Amino acid sequence: MNRPSPSPYTSAPDLHLRLVSDPNYLSGTRELVAGVAKRLGFGEEACGHIALAVDEALCNIIRHGYDKRRDGPIWVSLWPSADGNGSAGITVVIEDEAKQIDPGAIKGRNLDDIRPGGLGVHIIKEVMDEVRYEKRDKVGMRLTLIKHRAAVPAGKGGGA
Amino acid sequence: MNRPSPSPYTSAPDLHLRLVSDPNYLSGTRELVAGVAKRLGFGEEACGHIALAVDEALCNIIRHGYDKRRDGPIWVSLWPSADGNGSAGITVVIEDEAKQIDPGAIKGRNLDDIRPGGLGVHIIKEVMDEVRYEKRDKVGMRLTLIKHRAAVPAGKGGGA
Amino acid sequence: MSEEMRVDVTREGDTVVVAPVGEVDLSRSPRLRSVLREAQASRPKRVVIDLSEVEYMDSSGVATLVEAFQVARRNGSKMVLCGLMDRVKSIFEIARLDTIFTITANREAALRS
Amino acid sequence: MSEEMRVDVTREGDTVVVAPVGEVDLSRSPRLRSVLREAQASRPKRVVIDLSEVEYMDSSGVATLVEAFQVARRNGSKMVLCGLMDRVKSIFEIARLDTIFTITANREAALRS
Ligand SMILES: Nc1ncnc2c1ncn2[C@@H]1O[C@H](COP(=O)(O)OP(=O)(O)O)[C@@H](O)[C@H]1O
Ligand SMILES: Nc1ncnc2c1ncn2[C@@H]1O[C@H](COP(=O)(O)OP(=O)(O)O)[C@@H](O)[C@H]1O
């Protein structure tokens, strides 16, 4: 397995996980992401949402990118991020060596049409602040997800 | 940062995490390990114990290996393992680029002497079935931890 | 390699209650789907899906429930979800499905509905 | 970068109750240590450490409590732990410290002890 091409970020990620595209590892990956988000100061609901977005992105890579192959490599990188507004946040970059697809072709569907499926991209965009799909240099896709920690509205305490 | 030298295992690990030696990432790493162990069929108590052993090992690398530096690399690799007895389990390999120490010098202390500290190695050996410290080729240490999933013959597996 | 998800199925008169336990994600939703198919095969009057022991659900779980909902509608049977934890309710809200499904607080209310 | 751990401190007569909230691991035990030092500085008759909101503890947390225990002994004050969840109790057992500390089920029992 090759390493992913250099990320768009200049510094190495604080955490960098390589996993195989086996649905049994979604759960551990979610726990990692939620656990890190919690330590970065996100509240419980936000941690759950970030983990959900990562889960949905991994599901799509497994189902669409790798056609349910269980041995494709996936890389998940995590950075604590400081944005211009002085509020902190988390940046998650997910890379694969799977099928490439035009980023414009990845979009959530109209939710008025009730049918099974077609919710993943909508969920990802709904819970994250920034969502960017790109083709990697030679093979595979890269998804960048950012969530800001907001000037937490009074009432909702930041995590412990 | 260099990649760790090839592990003693012939196959690539199913999950491979690189993190920096910052205590704030212990929590996410524990959650990853416990989440994976759960999917490999370990019960709740065993998952907690495996995560505790990994936490203690990482604490020791941060405190003793890297002298509390927060930017040293640590690699945690996870394999589902099948042992000869037909029972499954988990293998965790933890590697660093920190100070090397003679494996024989790493041992738990006599617990009758009540004092703060000196519990980590004892805990690791108590909760895991196999514990092996080695020096890596050029720099750093490697710790291999194995836990079998039940049907383990009475009397714990050999420690280091 | 991993254990199968536990899904409890009980029949109470014309009603079948299906209660999955754990995390309904891509690794587990196929099992929920096959249990639901089997439970719906006898065309029960009412299908109650008790989610009180479901700690996590992703869109593959939601899709499975939408599918069961469509089968129920074709069969002329009633389908009710109950016992959703907040984080599970949250995904139904994000998917704007919280108004499509009949959702009750607990199993008792679902059986009375 | 991360928030500090919450540690509630309350005084009831000659007793000081220290209640950390969350996970007491290497990133959080230094904070518990400094709160305990301050709480013990006034040499209270009794120190109750209420662990009912501690979901996780590693050996750095245990070492912090052993240190507080030694300070208490030097001060001639009584130290009691209470409210340990099973996974927290487990680490005291592994460290063979469950018989050294006075441990009660809850805060009320600790205050009566
Ligand atoms: N990682 C990916 N690789 C290839 N195609 C993708 C990927 N992620 C999303 N897509 C495309 O975007 C569409 C919408 O995805 P989604 O909203 O998750 O719904 P669903 O996966 O149920 O179709 C998918 O059908 C697929 O065509
Ligand atoms: N990763 C490591 N690198 C260097 N030395 C270590 C490492 N792990 C353990 N040791 C040594 O083993 C000893 C026992 O460790 P432990 O039982 O965790 O107690 P403590 O860390 O409180 O001293 C340590 O004091 C240290 O000398």
Side-chain angles (χ1 to χ4, degrees), chain A residues 60-61 63-65 101 105-107 117-122 133:
Chain A
N60 278 343
I61 292 172
R63 292 186 306 134
H64 303 299
I101 175 173
I106 302 179
K107 45 182 177 235
L119 294 169
V121 172
H122 173 79
Y133 285 95

Side-chain angles (χ1 to χ4, degrees), chain C residues 56-105:
Chain C
Y56 179 82
M57 184 176 288
D58 69 11
S59 71
S60 71
V62 172
T64 305
L65 297 180
V66 170
E67 202 186 316
F69 176 73
Q70 293 178 327
V71 171
R73 204 158 49 179
R74 271 202 305 278
N75 287 352
S77 63
K78 193 180 168 95
M79 178 171 139
V80 185
L81 306 182
C82 67
L84 284 67
M85 295 185 190
D86 283 346
R87 7 182 188 173
V88 173
K89 201 172 290 167
S90 167
I91 189 174
F92 284 93
E93 285 161 7
I94 295 168
R96 315 270 158 76
L97 287 167
D98 49 324
T99 55
I100 302 297
F101 286 109
T102 305
I103 300 182
T104 66

Side-chain angles (χ1 to χ4, degrees), chain B residues 10-76:
Chain B
T10 46
S11 63
D14 278 8
L15 296 109
H16 182 67
L17 173 70
R18 187 192 68 220
L19 70 151
V20 294
S21 54
D22 181 328
N24 277 306
Y25 295 133
L26 290 173
S27 156
T29 305
R30 286 196 300 269
E31 301 288 341
L32 170 71
V33 171
V36 170
K38 192 168 172 201
R39 282 306 170 96
L40 293 179
F42 284 98
E44 202 178 322
E45 188 183 26
C47 291
H49 282 166
I50 297 165
L52 175 62
V54 170
D55 173 305
E56 297 292 345
L58 296 179
C59 285
N60 278 344
I61 292 172
I62 295 172
R63 293 187 306 133
H64 303 299
Y66 285 121
D67 283 328
K68 302 195 182 156
R69 253 179 63 200
R70 287 175 176 250
D71 60 352
I74 301 175
W75 294 269
V76 179

Side-chain angles (χ1 to χ4, degrees), chain B residues 41-127:
Chain B
F42 284 98
E44 202 178 322
E45 188 183 26
C47 291
H49 282 166
I50 297 165
L52 175 62
V54 170
D55 173 305
E56 297 292 345
L58 296 179
C59 285
N60 278 344
I61 292 172
I62 295 172
R63 293 187 306 133
H64 303 299
Y66 285 121
D67 283 328
K68 302 195 182 156
R69 253 179 63 200
R70 287 175 176 250
D71 60 352
I74 301 175
W75 294 269
V76 179
S77 304
L78 302 176
W79 284 261
S81 52
D83 67 17
N85 308 325
S87 85
I90 190 169
T91 298
V92 185
V93 171
I94 304 175
E95 293 169 282
D96 61 55
E97 287 183 352
K99 236 180 353 234
Q100 291 197 323
I101 175 174
D102 178 23
I106 303 178
K107 46 184 173 232
R109 68 168 168 85
N110 181 351
L111 294 187
D112 294 338
D113 167 27
I114 306 295
R115 60 171 180 81
L119 294 169
V121 172
H122 172 79
I123 290 170
I124 295 169
K125 292 193 174 169
E126 183 87 10
V127 303

